[in-house]
Amino acid sequence: MSRSSKEQEITEMVETLVTVDTSFENLSNKLKLSKDVRNKAWDYWQIVEQVTADLKEISKSDLLACCIYQAVIDTRMPYGPTDPQLQCGYIGQPEITITDLLMSSEKTVTSLFQSMNVLRDVISISEAVKYHLTQLERKFCIVSGIFHTFERVCKTVFREEESRDMKELSVPDFKERKTLCWVLFLLTKGALLTDDLLVDAFFLLICCVEYIIRSTPGFQLNPPLDNMKITSMENADIQEVTMLQKLSEIFGLSFEEVLTVQVNRTEAYFGSLPHIDGELNVTSLKEKYSTAYRQEGDIDEMMFLTRDPHILPQEQNGLETTSLTNNNETSMTPVRFLVEQLSSLSLTKSVIDTDVRAVLDNIQELKNILTNAGDEPSQVLNEYFQNCSANPYSSILNRTEKMKDVFIREYVSLTNDNHRPVAIQRYMLAQRLYYRVMEAMLNYEKERLSQTDFSKLLNIENFHRSLLACSIEIVLMTYGRSWNPSTKKMGSDDSKFSFPWILDLFKLHPYDFYKVLESFIKAEPVLTTDIIKHLQSTEIKILECLAWKPDSPLFSLLESTEVTTVPMCSPSPIPLERTSSAELYLSPMRTPNRRGVSPCPPSPRKPVPSPRKSLQSPRKFGDGSPEKSMPKKSQSLNLFINKVCRLGYHRLQQLCTSLQIPKDLQHKIWTCLEYCISRKPLLLKNRHLDQILLCSVYGICKVVDREIKFKIIVQMYRELPHAELKVYKNALIEGCEYDSIIGFYNKVFMQNMKSFILQFQASKVNTPALSPVPVPMSSPLASPVFSLPNRKHFYISPLKDSPFKAPSSPSQMTPRSRQLYSFGEGVGSGEKLQKINEIVYKAKGTTPKSHKRLRFEQLPDDSALNGSNEVPDPIVIKKSKLSSKVLPFSSQEGKDKSSKEQS
């Protein structure tokens, strides 16, 4: 580089530094920041300045705003989110609010979210900032969505045009009523909404609207509300209840639940607010909200009413996206999809395709399922209890009452006492679901085993606790939809009651809880798609990390039990998708063989020795000789380990595709990963499956001279839908010591896997035998309903209660009925069908050509199921035209078509 070029580069760096310094000083002076906040913000800028190469998509002005934001939060919460003052609800008023920062820096709230989300992946930010950012984004998204719904509600309820009566009486017009409703909702939300849940916020909004309607003349209301007399709650009568019922009917809500919220939560609060002549004092309410907003220091939500571009980006206001400044910056909007859905809300239609409507519909569907379920065991259940040698009736009732007390106490402690009726209401829904599913499970076991005495199963404590906990989890999930800042979509994974809260509440081990998940779905086939997907994600969380906690019973089972990775061979000797919870709880120690089914020979290394012995003195690879003391076999443990292997292999395929790793190398990596799971399970203790996966990829690629930098592996991993920051940032080393994924690889992984991984070196003559690849198997949690392409609203589902019952064995058939069945042949045997067709066509003397057919033979395997977090889509039965010469159907071609049709 010439001297002039160096001088020019130095000059540009100095000019940039001067520009940034000037911009920082101007913004700090405009905000009137204290010396402490300025110094802290500048320290953050110096850290950010070192990694600007990784932040090219963010402008310098955005980064400065982020630095000031972090400094304000850290100064206000020096002890982080665990600050005792924060837990008690008291914390000092900040120097500036988020709205002040946005308006002074001419930024939008969504650009702040986008910049901070990128920044926290590049530099280390404090726990206080992480906590505040998550809460701020979540609250903003919920309020943003509710506001768009609120506008539709106001247009439905209040009359917009002014009448002569309004001018003569000088009553508040539509705009003033709307303002009063909104400020009342914001105050009510701040006082009563302890968790930003979409359903709870919408219930509060309807209660606020109903309260404003009481003091609104009939001529200011739209039909049919204009003819209804509004009275106060103090003199409750049929008309008032009818008004609330009418509002619930118009907006598709449960009147019982809205009434519970109104009577137990909002009514007393509304009465405590300032009134003038029986009406709310809007001026006092605005002042009260302004004080609360300044104390909180977040976003001024009253600015939604004016559609301020700092709060609502211009694309949400129906305009083209432009920056508030003149530098042509692009403002990303993490809530754009949500708001576009909510902005299209039409409350006059019977069906509303929005997130709000979807949540309310899910609640109603759950209630429809439980219409015929009671709060007590049914007559059928009581008969099962009486048939038991040890009647479990009294213990079941005592257990449900104890769990009810625990649930209500903890629910109220995380909210407040006025949530007690809500907690009782939701627990009773879960209890009805618990009894209903238990009855369906016992009916299945009765048909399968031809017996009615289930004393052993019905007296297992963990079975009942897990089944009831699963029922509660479903109810909490149905009501707990909120904005999830991590996934940038609506979900129930980020509330106070999100999984695994229910496990901590009842002190349940994830491994025990997982045993009921599949049977729960099979026993209740009409569960909503959202519930099924939630249970799928719950199972995945257990498989990848929760079951590997230090206190898990999994490790004691692994020490005393032989594990055979059954699904790796084909066909599988155990029909895993048919395994019931009763089998998992009643076995854990029995040979997983079924009558009439011979197991396939075990592949090398499948019997798993004690994990403690595995880490200390592992046997030679491929040594399948039995131990002196033969370990027991556990069907539940076999199924669990197989599912972990399948999950690991599926994620390995995704990562290898992103890294463009060839199939032969991928198979070696899979062998290493499977070896870790089956032979070195202690590597997973208090860790995450993905951490073992990343280390396996790096280690194998390195020894075969195709090294991929860990940074590249992590970058590709971050793009996967199931990626988590803690996987590569915080890996357990030992005790309380944590390090990055690279530190874990060097200090722990290679210390235990070095001798095994080095066997894959190209210079080695005898390389390890490769582990069998998991055979594709449709998930038992997938929907049994099939859809046909190009046929809207046309579905094929199994007949639930067929009047036809097939005989259990050929010996029970007559010679004539035996001809109607086929034994020992696969589904859709082409040869036999072809023979039948030839006989029929020969009798008719014609052989018609087949122009169309349904492809039942080729079903998409797990790898072709496209869904984040391994949630499979329903299987699609293809209908395609065939030429006179039928070509063989390519499995890869089928996958490609399937993905196109489902996208």
Side-chain angles (χ1 to χ4, degrees):
M1 183 180 292
S2 62
R3 181 175 180 180
S4 58
S5 299
K6 289 184 179 180
E7 291 177 351
Q8 183 178 359
E9 183 178 349
I10 295 173
T11 303
E12 291 177 355
M13 292 176 59
V14 172
E15 290 177 352
T16 302
L17 184 61
V18 171
T19 303
V20 170
D21 187 51
T22 303
S23 300
F24 177 79
E25 285 299 321
N26 292 337
L27 185 56
S28 299
N29 292 333
K30 193 174 182 179
L31 292 168
K32 299 179 181 178
L33 298 178
S34 66
K35 184 178 180 181
D36 290 341
V37 175
R38 288 190 188 210
N39 292 339
K40 191 177 287 290
W42 186 251
D43 291 341
Y44 271 119
W45 169 253
Q46 291 180 321
I47 296 174
V48 170
E49 197 175 23
Q50 299 175 7
V51 293
T52 50
D54 298 327
L55 301 170
K56 294 179 180 179
E57 66 271 27
I58 306 178
S59 66
K60 294 292 191 298
S61 59
D62 278 338
L63 290 175
L64 283 176
C66 290
C67 292
I68 294 176
Y69 166 71
Q70 293 181 80
V72 171
I73 301 303
D74 280 337
T75 303
R76 191 184 183 205
M77 293 192 295
Y79 302 104
T82 58
D83 191 335
Q85 289 187 333
L86 181 62
Q87 299 297 323
C88 294
Y90 173 79
I91 195 170
Q93 181 172 322
E95 293 189 16
I96 62 170
T97 65
I98 302 301
T99 302
D100 294 335
L101 176 61
L102 296 176
M103 298 189 73
S104 298
S105 61
E106 291 297 318
K107 304 298 176 187
T108 65
V109 64
T110 49
S111 68
L112 177 66
F113 292 152
Q114 188 264 344
S115 301
M116 283 301 303
N117 286 327
V118 174
L119 191 61
R120 69 179 175 184
D121 287 339
V122 178
I123 68 171
S124 178
I125 63 177
S126 67
E127 291 299 320
V129 174
K130 292 179 184 177
Y131 171 80
H132 186 271
L133 180 65
T134 299
Q135 297 300 317
L136 180 68
E137 182 176 351
R138 182 178 173 192
K139 183 171 68 172
F140 168 76
C141 293
I142 291 296
V143 175
S144 178
I146 287 292
F147 173 74
H148 286 77
T149 307
F150 165 76
E151 290 198 310
R152 300 290 181 175
V153 169
C154 288
K155 291 180 180 179
T156 303
V157 173
F158 300 109
R159 199 181 296 254
E160 292 190 64
E161 65 275 7
E162 290 190 18
S163 63
R164 183 179 301 176
D165 294 335
M166 294 173 61
K167 295 179 180 178
E168 293 177 355
L169 297 175
S170 300
V171 295
D173 58 12
F174 172 80
K175 185 177 180 181
E176 292 171 324
R177 295 283 179 192
K178 182 178 177 181
T179 301
L180 182 58
C181 275
W182 185 244
V183 69
L184 177 62
F185 167 71
L186 294 181
L187 288 172
T188 306
K189 174 181 68 71
L192 303 181
L193 192 65
T194 55
D195 204 7
D196 294 309
L197 303 180
L198 190 60
V199 174
D200 288 353
F202 194 52
F203 284 170
L204 293 180
L205 175 63
I206 297 302
C207 290
C208 293
V209 171
E210 192 274 341
Y211 192 79
I212 300 300
I213 290 177
R214 298 182 196 179
S215 59
T216 303
F219 56 80
Q220 284 189 303
L221 300 175
N222 286 321
L225 305 177
D226 52 352
N227 295 325
M228 301 178 66
K229 183 180 179 180
I230 310 300
T231 57
S232 66
M233 278 296 290
E234 292 145 5
N235 299 318
D237 55 22
I238 298 299
Q239 289 184 338
E240 180 203 352
V241 174
T242 303
M243 172 58 69
L244 194 59
Q245 284 178 327
K246 197 63 182 179
L247 288 173
S248 301
E249 178 186 336
I250 292 174
F251 303 124
L253 305 176
S254 168
F255 167 66
E256 179 185 356
E257 292 181 332
V258 177
L259 184 62
T260 300
V261 172
Q262 184 187 59
V263 173
N264 296 282
R265 299 175 63 187
T266 63
E267 202 59 33
Y269 179 73
F270 291 160
S272 66
L273 296 175
H275 289 69
I276 296 180
D277 298 330
E279 292 192 22
L280 289 169
N281 186 342
V282 64
T283 303
S284 299
L285 293 183
K286 287 182 178 179
E287 292 175 356
K288 185 179 179 67
Y289 172 76
S290 179
T291 302
Y293 146 69
R294 284 287 170 186
Q295 174 64 35
E296 192 176 51
D298 291 341
I299 297 172
D300 186 358
E301 294 165 347
M302 286 297 293
M303 296 171 66
F304 279 102
L305 286 173
T306 60
R307 307 191 73 85
D308 191 286
H310 298 90
I311 305 300
L312 283 179
Q314 292 179 342
E315 68 267 25
Q316 297 178 16
N317 284 320
L319 303 175
E320 294 183 359
T321 304
T322 56
S323 176
L324 294 173
T325 57
N326 297 324
N327 53 8
N328 295 323
E329 298 172 6
T330 302
S331 174
M332 298 296 292
T333 310
V335 296
R336 182 172 183 177
F337 179 71
L338 169 67
V339 173
E340 283 180 355
Q341 284 186 307
L342 292 172
S343 64
S344 63
L345 184 62
S346 176
L347 294 172
T348 60
K349 297 181 180 180
S350 58
V351 179
I352 305 169
D353 187 20
T354 62
D355 286 289
V356 176
R357 186 71 267 156
V359 173
L360 299 176
D361 286 346
N362 283 340
I363 294 173
Q364 190 57 46
E365 287 181 32
L366 179 60
K367 290 187 173 183
N368 291 340
I369 294 173
L370 302 176
T371 300
N372 298 323
D375 297 335
E376 300 290 335
S378 66
Q379 182 179 353
V380 176
L381 265 182
N382 281 320
E383 290 177 359
Y384 281 122
F385 298 159
Q386 292 169 6
N387 290 331
C388 294
S389 56
N391 194 323
Y393 178 77
S394 58
S395 63
I396 288 176
L397 292 187
N398 291 336
R399 187 184 299 108
T400 53
E401 283 301 314
K402 290 179 181 178
M403 294 179 72
K404 177 182 178 181
D405 294 339
V406 172
F407 173 78
I408 294 174
R409 181 179 68 249
E410 294 302 317
Y411 191 99
V412 171
S413 69
L414 289 178
T415 53
N416 51 54
D417 197 58
N418 60 39
H419 280 72
R420 183 176 298 274
V422 176
I424 295 174
Q425 204 171 49
R426 293 180 184 175
Y427 180 85
M428 295 311 296
L429 277 177
Q431 184 172 294
R432 289 160 62 186
L433 182 60
Y434 161 69
Y435 286 134
R436 176 184 169 94
V437 172
M438 188 198 307
E439 180 180 331
M441 286 183 175
L442 294 180
N443 289 336
Y444 171 78
E445 293 301 314
K446 176 184 176 181
E447 184 175 353
R448 185 176 69 89
L449 301 174
S450 299
Q451 70 177 54
T452 57
D453 186 355
F454 300 108
S455 300
K456 191 171 182 180
L457 174 65
L458 293 178
N459 285 282
I460 296 177
E461 178 79 10
N462 282 339
F463 168 72
H464 289 285
R465 289 163 58 82
S466 299
L467 190 61
L468 181 53
C470 187
S471 303
I472 297 173
E473 175 64 24
I474 287 175
V475 174
L476 291 177
M477 169 266 164
T478 304
Y479 283 89
R481 301 270 292 180
S482 183
W483 176 260
N484 189 334
S486 300
T487 60
K488 298 293 182 290
K489 62 182 180 181
M490 297 300 298
S492 57
D493 302 328
D494 198 43
S495 72
K496 295 177 180 177
F497 310 107
S498 61
F499 189 81
W501 178 79
I502 197 70
L503 301 185
D504 299 333
L505 175 66
F506 295 126
K507 297 179 174 57
L508 282 169
H509 289 296
Y511 177 68
D512 291 327
F513 181 80
Y514 126 91
K515 296 178 184 179
V516 304
L517 294 178
E518 286 187 21
S519 293
F520 202 103
I521 294 177
K522 296 169 191 172
E524 192 54 77
V526 291
L527 292 176
T528 65
T529 303
D530 285 341
I531 291 177
I532 294 175
K533 287 185 176 180
H534 177 70
L535 293 182
Q536 286 177 320
S537 65
T538 298
E539 183 182 67
I540 289 171
K541 289 177 183 177
I542 293 174
L543 295 174
E544 67 185 8
C545 64
L546 294 180
W548 304 101
K549 297 295 181 183
D551 60 344
S552 175
L554 191 60
F555 295 103
S556 60
L557 278 174
L558 286 168
E559 288 181 355
S560 59
T561 310
E562 175 186 337
V563 177
T564 304
T565 50
V566 176
M568 303 307 167
C569 55
S570 179
S572 170
I574 302 178
L576 298 175
E577 64 272 22
R578 297 179 184 175
T579 305
S580 66
S581 290
E583 293 176 282
L584 298 184
Y585 275 99
L586 290 176
S587 93
M589 297 293 175
R590 72 174 180 182
T591 303
N593 246 0
R594 303 258 182 137
R595 182 200 292 180
V597 184
S598 60
C600 57
S603 59
R605 295 181 292 103
K606 292 305 178 283
V608 180
S610 165
R612 185 178 294 114
K613 294 178 182 178
S614 298
L615 281 177
Q616 294 174 357
S617 56
R619 294 182 301 175
K620 292 182 180 180
F621 183 80
D623 180 12
S625 58
E627 301 274 344
K628 289 184 179 180
S629 58
M630 199 64 172
K632 298 179 181 179
K633 294 183 179 181
S634 168
Q635 182 174 353
S636 61
L637 186 59
N638 280 341
L639 178 60
F640 180 84
I641 295 298
N642 281 305
K643 286 191 173 184
V644 175
C645 288
R646 288 183 177 279
L647 178 62
Y649 181 72
H650 181 78
R651 292 185 172 181
L652 175 63
Q653 284 182 310
Q654 289 181 305
L655 183 59
C656 288
T657 301
S658 301
L659 293 169
Q660 298 181 344
I661 295 176
K663 288 292 183 180
D664 58 335
L665 183 53
Q666 178 180 324
H667 202 166
K668 294 178 181 178
I669 298 171
W670 159 242
T671 301
C672 177
L673 177 61
E674 191 268 341
Y675 181 83
C676 291
I677 297 171
S678 62
R679 295 291 298 274
K680 301 279 188 177
L682 285 184
L683 279 175
L684 281 161
K685 193 170 187 177
N686 212 17
R687 298 187 180 99
H688 197 287
L689 176 64
D690 289 352
Q691 292 171 338
I692 309 301
L693 169 63
L694 296 178
C695 291
S696 299
V697 172
Y698 179 78
I700 296 296
C701 289
K702 186 173 182 179
V703 298
V704 299
D705 298 328
R706 290 189 180 181
E707 182 177 359
I708 303 175
K709 292 183 178 180
F710 234 128
K711 182 178 181 180
I712 304 299
I713 296 175
V714 170
Q715 285 178 349
M716 292 297 101
Y717 170 77
R718 285 167 52 184
E719 299 299 322
L720 299 179
H722 55 81
E724 295 185 52
L725 183 67
K726 65 180 181 181
V727 167
Y728 53 89
K729 288 263 187 177
N730 297 291
L732 175 67
I733 303 302
E734 186 179 5
C736 297
E737 181 187 356
Y738 287 82
D739 203 342
S740 67
I741 188 66
I742 300 177
F744 168 72
Y745 176 85
N746 292 324
K747 298 175 184 178
V748 179
F749 186 82
M750 281 305 292
Q751 298 299 317
N752 290 279
M753 294 293 296
K754 185 175 182 179
S755 59
F756 175 74
I757 290 178
L758 289 179
Q759 296 181 67
F760 287 93
Q761 286 180 319
S763 59
K764 297 288 183 179
V765 178
N766 297 321
T767 59
L770 299 181
S771 297
V773 172
V775 176
M777 181 180 69
S778 61
S779 171
L781 297 182
S783 171
V785 179
F786 303 94
S787 63
L788 296 179
N790 302 323
R791 294 292 300 274
K792 291 185 177 181
H793 311 299
F794 189 88
Y795 303 95
I796 302 174
S797 61
L799 188 63
K800 290 180 180 151
D801 296 317
S802 173
F804 175 78
K805 298 296 181 183
S808 57
S809 68
S811 61
Q812 301 178 12
M813 299 183 182
T814 64
R816 180 176 177 81
S817 62
R818 185 182 177 88
Q819 297 176 2
L820 303 175
Y821 290 86
S822 174
F823 298 96
E825 297 180 6
V827 177
S829 175
E831 294 79 10
K832 187 163 185 176
L833 292 175
Q834 186 175 1
K835 290 179 180 178
I836 295 173
N837 288 335
E838 289 174 357
I839 295 173
V840 173
Y841 295 147
K842 187 175 182 180
K844 292 183 178 181
T846 58
T847 306
K849 294 182 179 180
S850 173
H851 296 285
K852 293 184 179 180
R853 74 170 181 177
L854 294 176
R855 295 191 184 276
F856 287 96
E857 297 86 1
Q858 299 267 353
L859 297 180
D861 57 22
D862 286 349
S863 62
L865 294 174
N866 180 19
S868 62
N869 295 330
E870 292 73 54
V871 178
D873 292 328
I875 299 174
V876 177
I877 299 176
K878 299 176 180 295
K879 187 176 183 181
S880 59
K881 293 185 178 181
L882 298 178
S883 61
S884 57
K885 182 179 179 181
V886 181
L887 298 177
F889 183 72
S890 168
S891 60
Q892 183 61 41
E893 180 184 0
K895 294 176 186 177
D896 296 340
K897 290 182 179 178
S898 177
S899 62
K900 290 180 181 178
E901 290 179 5
Q902 294 179 19
S903 60

